[in-house]
Amino acid sequence: MSFTPDNFTIWMEIPVSDLDKAIRFYNDVFKTDLGRVKDMGPNEFAMFPTKEQGGVAGHLYPGTPSQKGTGPTIHLACPDSLEATMERFAKAGGEVISDPIAIPAGRFAYGIDPDGNSVGMFAS
């Protein structure tokens, strides 16, 4: 029997070299409000919000990112159009490294955040 859960991804963590700078970047790009959490582990981190408590999300944490573009890619939902998100991504200091790519579920583009993390911007 094969393991097939409702959601295979349950959490994601993005390592960043400067938590304040990364919070500003992700807030600006994804039009969100990452909340700082100080009492849930050995380090302070910033959590991505979800509409409902218990939604699949993740956080930014002080850590050592992989070398530029060599780590896993985290795909994040665009708050509006893919093109507008790509524009904010570049303006905020990231590097957009692909044109939009169409797939049956929507469209996405690849980018590298200021810490070198690979980020997919996804719009359905």
Side-chain angles (χ1 to χ4, degrees), residues 56-114:
V56 177
H59 66 255
L60 305 174
Y61 71 96
T64 304
S66 298
Q67 290 185 9
K68 183 179 177 181
T70 63
T73 301
I74 305 294
H75 288 262
L76 300 173
C78 295
D80 48 15
S81 75
L82 176 58
E83 288 75 12
T85 303
M86 292 168 67
E87 185 176 316
R88 285 190 305 275
F89 195 92
K91 184 178 178 184
E95 179 184 356
V96 176
I97 60 170
S98 80
D99 291 328
I101 299 164
I103 58 174
R107 297 181 320 131
F108 70 96
Y110 291 109
I112 304 292
D113 78 2

Side-chain angles (χ1 to χ4, degrees), residues 3-100:
F3 178 60
T4 54
D6 289 335
N7 297 296
F8 217 100
T9 301
I10 58 164
W11 194 255
M12 57 105 176
E13 298 179 321
I14 301 175
V16 297
S17 59
D18 181 327
L19 188 58
D20 290 327
K21 181 179 173 184
I23 289 170
R24 285 191 301 274
F25 175 81
Y26 282 93
N27 282 346
D28 289 349
V29 171
F30 293 98
K31 295 184 172 184
T32 194
D33 187 20
L34 278 87
R36 284 182 171 271
V37 179
K38 298 179 181 184
D39 60 353
M40 284 183 59
N43 298 312
E44 180 177 9
F45 58 89
M47 192 172 310
F48 286 89
T50 57
K51 185 181 276 188
E52 296 183 27
Q53 188 173 12
V56 177
H59 66 255
L60 305 174
Y61 71 96
T64 304
S66 298
Q67 290 185 9
K68 183 179 177 181
T70 63
T73 301
I74 305 294
H75 288 262
L76 300 173
C78 295
D80 48 15
S81 75
L82 176 58
E83 288 75 12
T85 303
M86 292 168 67
E87 185 176 316
R88 285 190 305 275
F89 195 92
K91 184 178 178 184
E95 179 184 356
V96 176
I97 60 170
S98 80
D99 291 328

